[in-house]
Amino acid sequence: MRWVKRGCVLSSIAVVVAGLWAYRTATGSLPDIAGKVVLSGLRGSVSVARDANGVPTIVGENRPDVVRALGFVHAQERFFQMDLLRRRAAGELAELVGAGALRLDRRHRLHRMRARAKRRVENASDNSLLLAYTEGVNAGLRALDASPFEYLLLRQDPRPWLPEDSMLVIASMFFQLNDPSGRYESNVGLLYETLAPELAAFLTPIGTEWDAPIVGEPFDTPPIPPPGDRPPISSRRRDPPSRVSFDENIGSNNWAVAPERSAHGGAILASDMHLAHSVPNIWFRAQLRVGDHSENGVTLPGTPFLVAGSNGHIAWGFTNSNGDWLDLVEVEPDPNDPQRYLTPDGSRPYERYEEVLHAAGGERETLEIRETIWGPILDEDHTGQPRALRWIAHDDEGINLGLGELSTAETLASAMAIAQRSGLPPQNFVCVDAAGAIGWTIAGRIPKRFGFDGRRPTSWAKGDRGWDGWLAPQDYPSIVQPPGGVLWTANARVVDGEMLGKIGDGGYAFGARARQIRDDLLAIDAATEKDLLDVQLDDRAVFIGTWRDYFLSWVRIESVREALESGWTGHASTDSSGYRAVRELRLAIFEEVFTALSRKAREADERFSIWDLRQWDGPLWRLVSERPRHLVPKGYETWDAWMEDIVERTVSGWDEAPIDRSWGEVRMSQVNHPLSGSVPWLSRWLDMPSHPLSGDSNMPRAQSTGNGASQRLVVSPGREEDGLFHMPGGQSGHPLSPYYGAGHDDWLHGRPTPLLPGRTSYTLRLEPS
């Protein structure tokens, strides 16, 4: 027993020592927030003052010093996040987290983004700010007493930051905001190849009656194809639908109101960019001050500039444009030599590369890549035809740091010119200036297509179609000082005619969200910043309300009618059972009807999915409204009988009475750390608490469980003291930091909080060596 007691004591001591070591190691990676640190390369002193939420105000005498200090702060607060972004883009994630990431690495390494990023840095005319930022990042990493805690869990050492890594961070946004798989274009092409042209056009409209473009009118949904275009379905489905919780059109919003529509007589910008939620949040708030010049907004860790915000002269924000920024090129092999392919200039050999993928733990594999003059071979279509990807992210001109010039822009005109020559995933750029001007354009490079519209894969071998360089900035689609004094974008179509032809169709979001925003704005005569935040938080179920009326007109199931009547709040509110019922019944009808109509496409290519289509609400509404007899499948006498059966089967799959199934039950927030899924016992410390969320697709408060507003910003340049801001998560990426979740609750509940940092809590002095 004496030895047992001694063993227990020794074990307890070992546990305590291990715990103390782990705590000491974890706290060693907390950032420096006070005192003095020598930062080599500075020309003068820089102060970093943090407020109660950890928002830093970085003050220096010149921009290179401020950028160097920003790199220092980014590394200390967010280095693991930066590491993930560069590795995802480069296809190097498995080296850090293990073989489970090899599948993603294969898809991304195909694009050889590291080699392209390195070439961009080598060819840049001025890398001084990039080098200052890079040196600041590595100095910040070295100044930590221990590596960020994630590397302790992964038993890895962080790799130093390189200049090309910042280019990779921008490339990572291309992967998030574009579709490098080409699924949308491939699906549209497949429908046209396997269905009658009238049916394919009906299923793939560019827009519908719900469109709300700034320039132009809504598009009409194409007519239902006449009898004979598609045979009836041969069998009757009995299984309940499978995707009734599908998230659609979760996207960003931004808008501007001119002085004549604001309460204080200044132009106001509102911007809420929607992205996948994570801890830490993708953005890092900061105030950057160079002399008397001040910028407030969000930065992207890994890049040396403000992404969205205000500099006192202009304010700007983004939404994904959903234009057509890539093409699938059908590659024609040389019939005389399979190692070559046909081009407008004759037969050429493929360029071949071997990329070695490494995984933590020692596993490795070699990826063989074939490249054409248009881009890498991406896949084969359903006939075995090889397809290359032509994507602006592959071009040197497609990615650059030009967006950083917005920091010193003073007018709308200069800001729009900067946006148009910047290299980023092309965005709807909405900007206002202190003089009251408001405008929209595309930020990012626009390819000049010829010979085709880019909606479907096609061969470029004859030289009669392709890309002919880039659109000149003076030829960009632009809107300045619009009639009515309002601009709005929401990932849907913004323009028509020639301007739409330049942008193309990359899969626009359904127009209901943009329409609701437009109507909200036009209903406000003298807008304040709080009024525009209220628009961002608008969760009224305007669009889904039309479907509620539809179901109430014929559904006879009493339990369903009870939910549609007593459980309906008119909002996508957490307590609404009616909203959830309508939404799931609508998706059930979509799944069955579109699966039936597109059956031949799925039979030809198992990769085809109706869930990758856009604008399907227009055709679906026309179908349920006109109830075409010739499209009723065998086994049903009428369209109504088919719809009734879908509803009955859907309701039979519900495990509770419709009135008891609230929307909040399936809209619980998931704002999680990337490692919490692999280390579940740490999730209570790493993840934000889960709460029911109001909002959904097709309304301004676009929200799913793991995707939604990554920030909400409302500001009038020159009146930043009245600006509003909040975002999910907190400033710090360290769970032991008091700033890890600071401000998250304000975002969760939509509380208006100031854009400007508050009173200083801590100050760090960075001094030159």
Side-chain angles (χ1 to χ4, degrees):
M1 288 300 299
R2 186 168 62 249
W3 284 106
V4 169
K5 291 178 181 178
R6 288 177 180 175
C8 290
V9 169
L10 290 173
S11 297
S12 299
I13 292 173
V15 170
V16 171
V17 170
L20 290 173
W21 174 84
Y23 180 78
R24 171 65 177 170
T25 302
T27 57
S29 59
L30 283 167
D32 298 303
I33 61 175
K36 183 184 296 185
V37 172
V38 173
L39 180 55
S40 179
L42 288 178
R43 303 177 193 172
S45 297
V46 177
S47 67
V48 181
R50 285 176 169 85
D51 70 1
N53 284 327
V55 180
T57 297
I58 303 176
V59 182
E61 299 172 1
N62 57 77
R63 184 158 297 277
D65 280 0
V66 170
V67 166
R68 187 180 297 270
L70 178 64
F72 182 95
V73 173
H74 276 170
Q76 294 220 317
E77 297 278 19
R78 300 287 193 89
F79 188 81
F80 184 70
Q81 173 195 2
M82 297 162 59
D83 198 6
L84 292 184
L85 289 173
R86 64 174 173 178
R87 287 177 179 273
R88 282 173 180 157
E92 299 168 352
L93 195 58
E95 294 180 17
L96 181 66
V97 301
L102 280 172
R103 182 179 179 184
L104 179 65
D105 280 356
R106 291 185 202 105
R107 294 204 305 266
H108 288 194
R109 187 71 72 86
L110 174 72
H111 304 279
R112 300 177 53 249
M113 285 300 187
R114 180 166 291 282
R116 301 178 196 276
K118 187 175 182 180
R119 186 174 66 235
R120 290 186 182 102
V121 173
E122 292 172 347
N123 294 338
S125 59
D126 182 6
N127 284 323
S128 58
L129 289 180
L130 178 59
L131 294 176
Y133 178 80
T134 299
E135 292 168 4
V137 169
N138 289 322
L141 185 62
R142 288 193 302 268
L144 296 173
D145 291 337
S147 297
F149 78 95
E150 293 94 344
Y151 297 95
L152 172 65
L153 294 175
L154 295 170
R155 292 183 292 179
Q156 297 270 15
D157 293 320
R159 193 170 67 190
W161 197 256
L162 299 173
E164 58 261 32
D165 291 335
S166 292
M167 297 293 187
L168 287 171
V169 170
I170 300 175
S172 74
M173 300 306 295
F174 273 88
F175 282 105
Q176 289 193 54
L177 299 172
N178 291 175
D179 176 23
S181 69
R183 293 315 309 158
Y184 175 73
E185 182 174 322
S186 181
N187 283 337
V188 172
L190 183 64
L191 287 171
Y192 273 92
E193 288 187 32
T194 57
L195 306 180
E198 296 86 354
L199 180 57
F202 175 68
L203 297 178
T204 60
I206 296 178
T208 73
E209 292 80 0
W210 281 86
D211 289 352
I214 301 173
V215 173
E217 299 298 326
F219 288 158
D220 292 331
T221 299
I224 296 173
D229 285 319
R230 203 197 86 71
I233 306 153
S234 58
S235 61
R236 180 174 175 178
R237 293 190 53 184
R238 285 293 184 184
D239 297 330
S242 62
R243 294 283 291 275
V244 293
S245 62
F246 177 68
D247 291 321
E248 36 167 329
N249 297 332
I250 301 297
S252 307
N253 311 309
N254 64 8
W255 57 83
V257 297
E260 63 268 24
R261 300 192 69 95
S262 76
H264 51 54
I268 310 176
L269 170 90
S271 174
D272 50 308
M273 300 180 285
H274 289 58
L275 293 165
H277 294 320
S278 65
V279 180
N281 186 31
I282 188 169
W283 310 118
F284 183 80
R285 289 181 66 182
Q287 181 181 90
L288 309 179
R289 289 170 53 185
V290 180
D292 296 330
H293 180 78
S294 179
E295 308 157 35
N296 292 275
V298 294
T299 64
L300 175 61
T303 61
F305 48 76
L306 205 69
V307 172
S310 176
N311 68 8
H313 301 286
I314 64 165
W316 69 97
F318 301 98
T319 67
N320 202 23
S321 62
N322 283 336
D324 193 357
W325 314 123
L326 54 85
D327 282 309
L328 293 177
V329 181
E330 295 177 343
V331 177
E332 299 183 25
D334 186 331
N336 300 315
D337 186 348
Q339 306 304 316
R340 303 173 69 89
Y341 66 101
L342 303 182
T343 78
D345 297 320
S347 175
R348 290 177 62 111
Y350 294 102
E351 293 185 44
R352 297 180 181 272
Y353 300 91
E354 288 189 353
E355 294 280 333
V356 180
L357 307 179
H358 297 273
E363 187 173 340
R364 57 181 287 171
E365 63 180 63
T366 300
L367 181 68
E368 296 185 358
I369 300 170
R370 289 184 299 163
E371 284 202 2
T372 69
I373 59 173
W374 305 296
I377 297 294
L378 179 69
D379 64 6
E380 295 180 349
D381 70 8
H382 64 291
T383 68
Q385 175 89 46
R387 301 188 295 194
L389 182 69
R390 185 73 173 96
W391 187 21
I392 61 175
H394 292 154
D395 288 69
D396 288 352
E397 299 90 340
I399 296 178
N400 60 45
L401 302 179
L403 197 67
E405 297 177 32
L406 289 173
S407 297
T408 55
E410 296 187 357
T411 65
L412 173 67
S414 62
M416 291 176 70
I418 291 168
Q420 291 162 351
R421 61 175 181 262
S422 295
L424 70 159
Q427 301 288 291
N428 290 311
F429 176 76
V430 171
C431 182
V432 305
D433 68 22
I438 68 174
W440 164 90
T441 191
I442 293 292
R445 306 308 298 270
I446 299 178
K448 292 172 60 178
R449 282 187 180 83
F450 64 92
F452 74 126
D453 64 6
R455 289 199 80 206
R456 289 182 267 167
T458 187
S459 171
W460 295 10
K462 294 181 180 179
D464 57 349
R465 63 198 70 176
W467 292 6
D468 183 19
W470 306 97
L471 204 65
Q474 63 268 23
D475 296 326
Y476 267 51
S478 300
I479 304 170
V480 176
Q481 303 296 70
V486 179
L487 291 168
W488 62 92
T489 80
N491 311 119
R493 180 174 63 88
V494 175
V495 293
D496 67 357
E498 183 181 356
M499 288 195 286
L500 177 60
K502 293 176 179 178
I503 298 171
D505 170 34
Y508 289 112
F510 185 56
R513 176 159 48 93
R515 179 168 162 178
Q516 189 164 333
I517 290 169
R518 179 202 64 187
D519 293 348
D520 283 352
L521 296 175
L522 294 177
I524 305 172
D525 292 327
T528 65
E529 283 78 359
K530 177 61 168 58
D531 291 333
L532 299 190
L533 175 63
D534 289 342
V535 176
Q536 292 176 330
L537 299 172
D538 179 11
D539 60 10
R540 290 177 302 121
V542 175
F543 168 70
I544 289 293
T546 62
W547 279 90
R548 172 183 178 256
D549 295 340
Y550 165 74
F551 288 120
L552 280 173
S553 70
W554 62 268
V555 170
R556 296 189 295 269
I557 304 172
E558 287 301 322
S559 62
V560 175
R561 295 190 67 88
E562 180 187 16
L564 300 187
E565 293 171 344
S566 301
W568 179 258
T569 64
H571 295 251
S573 54
T574 58
D575 61 339
S576 177
S577 58
Y579 182 87
R580 180 178 176 185
V582 174
R583 188 185 193 276
E584 293 186 7
L585 292 176
R586 164 178 157 267
L587 287 175
I589 290 175
F590 162 69
E591 180 180 16
E592 183 147 333
V593 171
F594 267 60
T595 296
L597 296 178
S598 62
R599 174 177 55 85
K600 289 184 178 179
R602 176 69 178 179
E603 290 173 351
D605 190 340
E606 63 180 12
R607 295 170 296 182
F608 174 81
S609 172
I610 61 171
W611 303 99
D612 292 328
L613 298 176
R614 300 294 187 99
Q615 306 295 338
W616 50 263
D617 262 300
L620 185 64
W621 185 255
R622 172 155 280 186
L623 287 168
V624 301
S625 300
E626 299 181 17
R627 303 181 298 185
R629 179 67 183 86
H630 65 283
L631 293 181
V632 175
K634 292 179 179 179
Y636 297 101
E637 293 298 323
T638 65
W639 182 276
D640 291 347
W642 188 20
M643 296 300 101
E644 288 171 1
D645 187 53
I646 294 173
V647 168
E648 289 174 2
R649 282 185 281 121
T650 302
V651 174
S652 70
W654 294 349
D655 54 5
E656 293 179 280
I659 193 68
D660 296 325
R661 304 171 72 251
S662 72
W663 180 236
E665 291 176 359
V666 291
R667 269 301 183 270
M668 299 295 292
S669 63
Q670 296 178 7
V671 186
N672 301 337
H673 190 280
L675 294 185
S676 66
S678 302
V679 194
W681 58 273
L682 280 177
S683 63
R684 60 176 296 188
W685 291 285
L686 296 181
D687 300 340
M688 295 294 106
S690 185
H691 291 278
L693 296 168
S694 297
D696 190 22
S697 51
N698 296 318
M699 60 187 61
R701 193 169 190 168
Q703 182 68 58
S704 70
T705 56
N707 190 304
S710 62
Q711 47 73 236
R712 295 189 182 102
L713 165 71
V714 185
V715 62
S716 177
R719 294 178 172 87
E720 284 75 15
E721 66 278 4
D722 297 325
L724 302 175
F725 183 93
H726 53 228
M727 71 180 194
Q731 284 289 97
S732 179
H734 200 300
L736 297 181
S737 167
Y739 310 132
Y740 189 64
H744 178 75
D745 203 52
D746 296 322
W747 169 85
L748 188 67
H749 298 287
R751 285 192 286 264
T753 52
L755 166 65
L756 295 181
R759 181 179 302 174
T760 298
S761 298
Y762 299 95
T763 300
L764 174 69
R765 300 290 303 183
L766 300 176
E767 300 289 348
S769 58

